[in-house]
């Protein structure tokens, strides 16, 4: 009887065995995104109350936009996932949603990868860059970014080992194009600032100085 029980236990699948790679979410980045989202929502609500007390009803659109962006950022934070890789599955673990998805490698029929950044405006001098990975399997789309994953290069290496060569080429081409488009727009905005914005600001300052003299 004991031998039968031992055999049945050994036959039970253990999802923790055979893990080749397992990512960890960055606590700092998650905290930063979460607190930033809540702060934006709080500021938007306070702004909204202030505009209504002053009777400027048409101004309501601005605090509503701030609240919407904060809520969108918070929902994206809650949807963050860590990634684990075995020989049979790509495992996505969503800790805030208490959900784990196992995607068989053979079921992945399409994939994409684009260049993403934390840059939000032309005045951002320090920003992070990363990749958004999209997968299509069994009629469903899955996506995750490398911003909040520790050691993302190891993750990319393990993915390339297991995806079809045509999918790897498609991901590489899409990433290179999106990266090139981003830096092109950055260079264009810098030239625009130097050739148009800065001269106009300089002319305005000179006029103000002449008029006040």
């Amino acid at each position: 009887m004991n031998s039968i029980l031992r055999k049945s236990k050994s036959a039970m699948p253990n999802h923790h065995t055979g893990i080749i790679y397992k990512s960890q979410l960055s606590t700092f980045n998650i905290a930063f995104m979460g607190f930033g989202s809540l702060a934006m929502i709080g500021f938007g609500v306070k702004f909204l109350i202030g505009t209504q007390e002053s009777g400027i009803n048409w101004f309501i659109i601005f605090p509503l936009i701030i609240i919407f962006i904060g809520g969108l950022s918070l929902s994206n934070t809650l949807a963050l996932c860590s990634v684990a890789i075995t020989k049979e599955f790509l495992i996505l673990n969503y800790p805030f949603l208490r959900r784990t998805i196992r995607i068989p490698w053979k079921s992945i029929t399409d994939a994409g990868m684009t260049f993403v950044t934390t840059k939000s405006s032309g005045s951002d001098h320090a920003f992070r860059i990363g990749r958004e990975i999209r997968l299509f399997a069994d009629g469903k789309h899955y996506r995750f970014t490398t911003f909040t994953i520790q050691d993302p290069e190891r993750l990319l290496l393990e993915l390339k080992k297991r995806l079809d060569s045509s999918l790897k080429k498609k991901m590489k081409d899409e990433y290179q194009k999106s990266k090139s488009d981003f830096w092109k727009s950055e260079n264009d905005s810098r030239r625009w600032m130097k050739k148009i914005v800065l001269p106009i600001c300089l002319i305005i300052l000179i006029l103000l100085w002449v008029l006040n003299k």
Side-chain angles (χ1 to χ4, degrees):
M1 184 69 178
N2 290 335
S3 62
I4 295 174
L5 287 174
R6 283 195 297 269
K7 288 181 180 179
S8 62
K9 287 181 179 180
S10 62
M12 293 176 64
N14 186 350
H15 296 298
H16 296 286
T17 60
I19 291 180
I20 299 169
Y21 167 85
K22 185 177 182 180
S23 71
Q24 297 292 330
L25 291 176
S26 171
T27 305
F28 173 79
N29 289 332
I30 293 175
F32 180 79
M33 293 173 64
F35 284 124
S37 303
L38 293 175
M40 187 174 290
I41 293 173
F43 175 76
V45 171
K46 185 177 180 180
F47 192 9
L48 177 62
I49 294 173
T51 57
Q52 296 310 293
E53 288 178 351
S54 60
I56 313 176
N57 293 324
W58 62 269
F59 209 60
I60 191 174
I61 187 172
F62 295 103
L64 288 179
I65 290 175
I66 295 173
I67 294 173
F68 173 77
I69 295 175
L72 184 63
S73 177
L74 183 61
S75 65
N76 288 334
T77 303
L78 295 177
L80 291 175
C81 68
S82 61
V83 182
I85 289 175
T86 68
K87 289 183 178 181
E88 295 82 14
F89 298 99
L90 172 68
I91 304 172
L92 305 181
N93 179 39
Y94 300 83
F96 300 109
L97 302 178
R98 296 181 177 276
R99 186 183 180 191
T100 299
I101 298 176
R102 291 176 174 82
I103 307 171
W105 290 110
K106 293 181 179 179
S107 69
I108 299 176
T109 56
D110 197 7
M113 182 169 63
T114 54
F115 178 89
V116 291
T117 174
T118 57
K119 185 178 178 64
S120 58
S121 68
S123 60
D124 291 348
H125 297 290
F127 53 90
R128 298 185 62 197
I129 60 176
R131 306 168 191 239
E132 181 186 70
I133 299 171
R134 302 182 310 281
L135 302 171
F136 183 79
D138 294 329
K140 297 180 181 179
H141 284 94
Y142 306 94
R143 65 177 60 199
F144 53 90
T145 64
T146 60
F147 280 133
T148 54
I149 294 177
Q150 297 179 4
D151 194 12
E153 295 303 321
R154 170 77 189 283
L155 169 61
L156 294 172
L157 179 63
E158 296 295 340
L159 283 175
K160 290 177 181 178
K161 290 180 181 178
R162 290 161 180 82
L163 291 176
D164 184 80
S165 58
S166 61
L167 295 183
K168 288 189 289 185
K169 184 179 185 305
K170 180 183 176 184
M171 292 171 69
K172 181 181 178 181
D173 292 343
E174 184 180 355
Y175 174 76
Q176 293 297 339
K177 183 180 183 305
S178 60
K179 183 179 179 180
S180 176
D181 291 344
F182 170 78
W183 288 115
K184 183 179 181 299
S185 65
E186 277 292 290
N187 293 332
D188 291 343
S189 65
R190 288 171 185 170
R191 284 194 295 268
W192 186 76
M193 287 287 292
K194 291 179 180 179
K195 292 182 178 180
I196 300 176
V197 177
L198 291 179
I200 291 176
C201 292
L202 183 60
I203 291 171
I204 293 173
L205 288 175
I206 293 173
L207 291 174
L208 291 174
W209 180 76
V210 171
L211 293 173
N212 291 329
K213 192 172 181 181

